[in-house]
Amino acid sequence: MKTYVHLSSAHHYPLPAIFQDDDVRYSESLVEYFLEQYTQKGNVVFDPFAGFGTTLFVAERMGRVSYGVEINQDRANFARNKLANPE
């Protein structure tokens, strides 16, 4: 029985200077692990607290259709500008 997961803490997109003191992102590899386990390509992934868009970026990269909601306009704009399908 596997009781652990090795995760990388890397991110594909660095945060702009205005967000450097507020980096609360979790690991992209954590999102990859769970999307791999519980979704398939083409599935919809919804993140109701999108933040800097980590879940949205990873889901899109893995062939999922991602939707997210973020109350902070600056964070939402950052994520929207990095997504291939920002609509």
Side-chain angles (χ1 to χ4, degrees):
M1 179 167 127
K2 186 174 179 182
T3 59
Y4 61 90
V5 177
H6 289 278
L7 301 173
S8 164
S9 62
H11 292 278
H12 280 82
Y13 299 107
L15 289 179
I18 63 169
F19 297 129
Q20 289 299 315
D21 293 334
D22 192 25
D23 189 354
V24 294
R25 297 176 293 173
Y26 45 83
S27 167
E28 289 184 16
S29 62
L30 177 69
V31 178
E32 289 172 1
Y33 176 80
F34 281 101
L35 291 182
E36 184 82 21
Q37 295 294 312
Y38 299 107
T39 68
Q40 298 174 2
K41 286 185 179 185
N43 283 167
V44 171
V45 174
F46 175 65
D47 185 354
F49 307 102
F52 295 112
T54 302
T55 299
L56 306 178
F57 301 144
V58 174
E60 194 173 76
R61 189 171 65 235
M62 294 178 68
R64 278 62 170 175
V65 179
S66 63
Y67 294 98
V69 175
E70 176 52 48
I71 194 168
N72 182 302
Q73 190 64 49
D74 292 332
R75 290 180 181 187
N77 290 338
F78 171 77
R80 188 176 294 117
N81 289 330
K82 300 293 182 195
L83 290 167
N85 298 300
E87 61 283 340

